[in-house]
Amino acid sequence: MPIATSHRFSSGGLDHAGSGFAPLNPLDGDVTSDSVAKYGVLGAVYDLLAPVMMRSSPLIYGTAIEKKHLERFWVWLERDGAPKLVEGLKASVNEKPKKIEQLVAAAFAQLAEPLESQFNAAQNSAEIQRRMTIQLGGFDVYEAFPLILIAIKHYNKLQAAKELAAHVKKYESEEEFSELVEAIDLPTGPMQKLWCTALVYNMDWPGKFMMGVLDHCYGETEQTVRKSGYGPYGDAMVVNLQQLVDIIEEQAGVFSDIDLMCRAIDRFHRIARVMHYYLDLGKSSQWNHCIEVVTGRVSRVLEKRISEVVPNVTKVLRTPHQQAQTLFTTDQVLQAYNSVYLLDAARNAKESLAVNTAVERTWSELGKSLEILLERALEDQKSAPFADSLAIAKVEIAIKLCSIRFGADYAQIMSKNKENIERRKLGATIEPKGEEH
C-alpha cells in the first residue's frame, strides 16, 4: 500500500523538524520562532514553507521558492491579492497568537481558489498580466507565482512529506530505506518536485535514502535515475545542498550560530559524498554542474573563515596579563572558539568542500601555535599570584581550544598541570606561616 501521501501516520512524540535547519516551531506557551517575532504573520509563512524555500535562486527549476519572491508575493497579497482575507487572518492571530501557525495553514486553504482564479485571469489577458506583474514587483515574481500557489494549495501534502520524514527517523539500514522508496506513492504533476524537496529537507539521513533510491534504478548515472522515475529525489538532494550553502553563507558573520553552521557543513558533506561516490555523474550531468556551483560557493566562504582561525586564537592568547580583562568584555574569545570549531567541522568534511589545502595548512599552524601559546599561558600562571583569575582564565581558554585541536586526553593532562601550579603556589604560601609558629 502506498504510504507517502497517507495521513494514517501516528507521529506524536517525534521531532517533526528532523535535521532541517529552519525547523517548524510549535509555538506552544510563550515560545515563538525568530521569524514570527520579526515578521509576524509573514514569519509564520516563512516557517511553514521553510522546507521548500531558499535564500538564493534555485539551480533546478520548480524545486524551491526563492525567499525574496515569497516576500514580494505576500506584500501583493496583503495589498491587492486578498486584503480582506489577510486582515481577517491578522485579527485572528491577534486574538490567538499561540495558534498562529494553525491559523496561517488554515488561511492557505482559503487562499488557494481566489489566487488560482486571479492567476488564470492574468494568463488569459495581457493587460491583467501587465498590471499584476507591476503590482508583484517584477516579472521574476510573476514567474514564481505558480510555484508559490502550488505550495499554498497543496500545503497538506508538504506536511505529509514532513510527517513521513519524522516517521522514518528510526530507520538506519539501506534495506529499510530501499523498502521505503518502493512503498512511496510519489505525487505527480508540478507538486512532485516540491514534495521531494520537503521530504529530503526534513529527513535525518538523506544520504541513506538516496542509496535506497539507487537500489531501484537501472544504473548509476543521472540519466538512468531519471529514466527509472526517481529523478525528483536527486533534484531534491541538490536543492538541499543549496539550502545548506545558504545557511553557511548567512551564518558567516561575527555573530553567527556556529552550531548551526557546523551541522550544515556536516549534512552538506554527507549528501555530497553519496552523490559523488554512488553516482556516476559525468560532465554533462545537471546534478554534477549544480554540485560544482554550490561547492564553489561554500569553499569561498570557508576559505575566508579558515584564514582567520589562527589570528583569532593568537589575538586572545597573546593578550598581556595586564590587558586580559578585555577578554571578558569583548567577543574575541567567542570568535576564537567558533573559529576552531568551524575548522574542525571543515576538516571532517574537507573532501566535499574543496578546501583540503587550506584546512590542512591551518590545522597544522593551529597545532603549533596552541602548543606555544599554552606553554606561555602556563608560565604566566606560575608567575602570577595565587588564584589569579585572569591568568587562570587564559590557561582555561587555551586548554579548551586544545581539546578541540588535540583531543580530550591532551586537554586533561594540561588541566592537571594547571591545577598543580595552583597547588604548589598554595603550598608555598602556607609553609612560611608554619615556620613562624
Side-chain angles (χ1 to χ4, degrees):
M1 178 179 288
I3 65 173
T5 57
S6 171
H7 294 277
R8 294 182 296 105
F9 290 117
S10 174
S11 53
L14 293 175
D15 173 16
H16 287 196
S19 56
F21 292 100
L24 203 61
N25 291 300
L27 299 184
D28 292 330
D30 295 326
V31 179
T32 58
S33 74
D34 291 340
S35 293
V36 171
K38 187 174 182 180
Y39 300 106
V41 171
L42 177 57
V45 175
Y46 287 157
D47 283 344
L48 292 172
L49 299 182
V52 294
M53 191 175 69
M54 63 172 57
R55 185 176 55 81
S56 56
S57 179
L59 293 172
I60 300 178
Y61 180 77
T63 53
I65 300 165
E66 195 170 349
K67 185 176 180 180
K68 68 178 182 181
H69 292 161
L70 181 59
E71 181 181 5
R72 293 179 190 172
F73 173 87
W74 195 261
V75 170
W76 167 81
L77 192 66
E78 289 185 325
R79 187 187 59 230
D80 304 301
K84 290 183 180 179
L85 196 153
V86 175
E87 281 302 315
L89 172 60
K90 288 182 176 180
S92 299
V93 168
N94 287 334
E95 292 177 6
K96 301 176 180 178
K98 296 177 184 178
K99 301 289 185 182
I100 185 169
E101 288 189 349
Q102 295 93 319
L103 292 169
V104 173
F108 283 170
Q110 295 177 283
L111 283 168
E113 187 175 338
L115 287 176
E116 195 166 24
S117 298
Q118 290 181 70
F119 187 74
N120 288 338
Q123 290 289 87
N124 296 324
S125 168
E127 178 57 25
I128 295 176
Q129 180 178 334
R130 185 187 68 81
R131 289 202 306 269
M132 181 179 283
T133 301
I134 295 171
Q135 291 169 350
L136 285 166
F139 190 70
D140 56 339
V141 187
Y142 179 82
E143 281 191 317
F145 195 119
L147 197 61
I148 297 173
L149 175 58
I150 289 168
I152 289 174
K153 184 177 181 179
H154 299 288
Y155 173 72
N156 62 323
K157 292 183 179 179
L158 297 180
Q159 189 67 11
K162 180 182 174 183
E163 291 173 1
L164 174 60
H167 178 77
V168 301
K169 282 186 72 173
K170 62 180 180 291
Y171 288 9
E172 295 181 358
S173 69
E174 184 181 335
E175 291 75 17
E176 288 175 309
F177 282 102
S178 179
E179 292 173 2
L180 170 67
V181 171
E182 189 174 21
I184 285 178
D185 181 18
L186 190 61
T188 57
M191 181 61 203
Q192 186 181 71
K193 288 186 176 182
L194 284 181
W195 188 91
C196 290
T197 297
L199 177 66
V200 170
Y201 175 95
N202 287 293
M203 194 169 279
D204 268 3
W205 300 103
K208 289 182 180 179
F209 177 78
M210 193 62 193
M211 290 168 66
V213 168
L214 293 176
D215 284 348
H216 303 280
C217 298
Y218 304 111
E220 296 174 349
T221 66
E222 178 182 344
Q223 187 178 15
T224 55
V225 173
R226 291 194 183 281
K227 284 184 177 179
S228 302
Y230 297 107
Y233 290 131
D235 291 341
M237 295 289 166
V238 170
V239 168
N240 195 224
L241 289 177
Q242 191 176 350
Q243 289 172 316
L244 295 170
V245 175
D246 283 352
I247 290 170
I248 293 168
E249 288 179 336
E250 205 166 26
Q251 297 298 327
V254 173
F255 301 104
S256 60
D257 184 338
I258 200 65
D259 181 59
L260 180 63
M261 195 173 183
C262 289
R263 285 188 291 124
I265 288 171
D266 176 66
R267 185 178 173 93
F268 183 98
H269 172 59
R270 286 188 282 121
I271 296 175
R273 183 172 55 185
V274 168
M275 297 294 284
H276 277 304
Y277 285 5
Y278 294 95
L279 281 166
D280 181 15
L281 300 179
K283 292 294 182 182
S284 60
S285 164
Q286 182 185 22
W287 293 343
N288 184 66
H289 171 71
C290 292
I291 292 172
E292 286 181 350
V293 171
V294 295
T295 302
R297 282 175 55 191
V298 76
S299 66
R300 284 192 292 273
V301 173
L302 292 180
E303 281 182 354
K304 182 178 184 301
R305 289 296 297 266
I306 288 168
S307 69
E308 299 168 351
V309 172
V310 175
N312 285 343
V313 170
T314 55
K315 186 186 296 183
V316 169
L317 296 182
R318 283 182 178 171
T319 304
H321 182 267
Q322 58 270 29
Q323 298 175 13
Q325 186 65 44
T326 59
L327 295 178
F328 303 99
T329 59
T330 70
D331 59 0
Q332 290 182 12
V333 176
L334 179 62
Q335 280 184 299
Y337 287 149
N338 286 352
S339 293
V340 179
Y341 278 124
L342 180 63
L343 177 63
D344 186 50
R347 188 169 185 266
N348 293 330
K350 62 183 180 181
E351 295 173 2
S352 304
L353 301 172
V355 289
N356 302 51
T357 303
V359 164
E360 288 305 323
R361 182 180 62 248
T362 304
W363 189 254
S364 176
E365 291 175 0
L366 177 65
K368 294 174 183 176
S369 296
L370 279 176
E371 286 182 326
I372 295 170
L373 293 169
L374 176 56
E375 187 61 34
R376 289 179 181 174
L378 289 169
E379 290 298 322
D380 289 343
Q381 184 193 359
K382 289 177 185 177
S383 59
F386 171 69
D388 186 279
S389 61
L390 296 179
I392 293 172
K394 186 186 286 189
V395 173
E396 288 176 343
I397 292 168
I399 289 173
K400 184 171 181 179
L401 292 170
C402 285
S403 71
I404 306 169
R405 171 60 179 84
F406 299 113
D409 291 342
Y410 181 89
Q412 189 174 14
I413 294 170
M414 294 299 106
S415 292
K416 288 181 179 178
N417 289 349
K418 178 199 72 174
E419 293 167 3
N420 289 337
I421 291 171
E422 291 303 305
R423 193 176 293 113
R424 285 193 294 270
K425 286 196 289 187
L426 177 60
T429 59
I430 293 174
E431 284 177 8
K433 293 180 181 179
E435 291 175 3
E436 290 175 10
H437 291 294

